[in-house]
Amino acid sequence: KPARYPHADNTDASAQQLAELFDLFVDDFELGAYRRWAMYNVWRAITPPPQDFPLAVCDARTIDPADEVTVTAITEERSTDIVHDTMSYVHNPAHRWYYYPDMTIDEVIVFKSGDSDPTRAVRVAHTAFTDPTCPPGVPTRASVEMRALAVFE
């Protein structure tokens, strides 16, 4: 289901923990061997336009660190719960939100979900929202996302 509150998928600490997990999947990978790493989300709608709940992203330059609130997400699984810290955001009129209406399945949004360099935009707040211009009766938006880690020498 679309997450309908402003959030980022990681905190600094949880992004670091996820980045360190890549050594489980890649032979001879050591995160510390790189000067910098960044994590990205690649998101796309898989239902045709129009979408009733499009994705909006916030310009990271408009977010004050005081706007961020750590939230622990718990996904209940059969064998064990998955616990992961995420970031939520309090309202600030300075935030600048953008969205791309009527996305086709050939279009994607790429945004950052973590960065080891704190002098850069570390993460992008995003949310789904009800588009009041969407005609009634359309199928509820479905989407898919992929996560990627980039490392820099």
Side-chain angles (χ1 to χ4, degrees):
K1 295 182 179 180
R4 296 178 58 174
Y5 64 96
H7 69 282
D9 298 332
N10 301 299
T11 63
D12 293 345
S14 65
Q16 176 79 35
Q17 290 169 342
L18 284 176
E20 290 170 353
L21 288 176
F22 275 79
D23 68 353
L24 297 174
F25 306 105
V26 179
D27 290 338
D28 300 323
F29 176 79
E30 177 58 46
L31 188 65
Y34 299 92
R35 69 174 171 80
R36 177 178 161 230
W37 56 264
M39 298 173 75
Y40 297 91
N41 282 18
V42 180
W43 182 97
R44 78 174 200 178
I46 57 174
T47 48
Q51 284 92 32
D52 52 355
F53 300 108
L55 182 73
V57 293
C58 189
D59 182 339
R61 297 169 296 183
T62 67
I63 293 179
D64 187 287
D67 301 338
E68 296 185 323
V69 179
T70 298
V71 174
T72 301
I74 301 173
T75 304
E76 296 178 1
E77 295 292 328
R78 290 186 190 137
S79 58
T80 184
D81 291 344
I82 298 171
V83 179
H84 183 79
D85 283 344
T86 64
M87 195 64 73
S88 187
Y89 294 86
V90 298
H91 173 73
N92 183 332
H95 294 166
R96 294 294 169 251
W97 290 91
Y98 301 91
Y99 83 106
Y100 306 91
D102 300 330
M103 288 183 68
T104 68
I105 63 170
D106 296 327
E107 298 174 304
V108 300
I109 298 174
V110 179
F111 56 96
K112 199 182 301 184
S113 60
D115 195 323
S116 64
D117 183 351
T119 66
R120 300 173 184 268
V122 173
R123 68 189 133 260
V124 172
H126 53 283
T127 187
F129 69 98
T130 301
D131 184 352
T133 67
C134 185
V138 301
T140 296
R141 184 265 289 167
S143 61
V144 63
E145 63 183 289
M146 187 231 19
R147 314 268 170 96
L149 174 69
V151 291
F152 304 88
E153 294 184 337

